[in-house]
Amino acid sequence: MQILEEIGIDFEEIHYLKNPLSLEQLKELSKSLNLAPGEFVRKGDIKKLDLNIELTNDKDVFQHMVKYPKIIERPIILKGNKAVIGRPPEKLMELF
């Protein structure tokens, strides 16, 4: 957020831990990221929550993302129909 503020980019912050994304929103996000859902999960949180997820099974991953939004990688920056995971922060520049 600091980088976006420094370069003068307006943004909306979405707290998907408080307001989880729907299955449809997650599918659109996957398309925008150009990543399979198993590629934008926090594997450490999956382990901490002791979840048994088949990361190559998109349906399984999406179902777990809906139920456990904490496993979704963050931050994710979306601009139009493109998105990037904001780690490292330099990845933001791919959108701007």
Side-chain angles (χ1 to χ4, degrees):
M1 289 180 3
Q2 181 180 353
I3 292 171
L4 294 175
E5 290 170 350
E6 287 175 2
I7 60 177
I9 303 291
D10 290 328
F11 61 91
E12 176 185 1
E13 185 176 4
I14 298 172
H15 298 273
Y16 57 85
L17 293 176
K18 293 179 186 175
N19 300 305
L21 301 174
S22 69
L23 177 60
E24 191 58 40
Q25 288 172 311
L26 287 167
K27 287 180 178 181
E28 287 300 316
L29 188 57
S30 180
K31 288 178 190 173
S32 296
L33 286 164
N34 197 30
L35 295 174
E39 296 178 289
F40 65 100
V41 293
R42 299 168 59 99
K43 290 163 184 71
D45 284 334
I46 290 172
K47 188 174 182 176
K48 283 180 193 175
L49 293 169
D50 197 29
L51 301 175
N52 184 20
I53 303 175
E54 179 57 52
L55 294 177
T56 58
N57 180 329
D58 292 355
K59 183 177 178 181
D60 188 39
V61 178
F62 279 133
Q63 288 175 343
H64 279 87
M65 288 173 146
V66 169
K67 189 170 181 178
Y68 303 97
K70 185 175 183 176
I71 68 170
I72 303 169
E73 188 60 71
R74 54 192 179 274
I76 295 174
I77 297 80
L78 180 66
K79 181 180 181 193
N81 63 351
K82 299 208 184 238
V84 295
I85 296 172
R87 288 186 193 174
E90 295 77 24
K91 296 279 289 180
L92 290 173
M93 302 323 286
E94 292 177 15
L95 292 179
F96 304 102

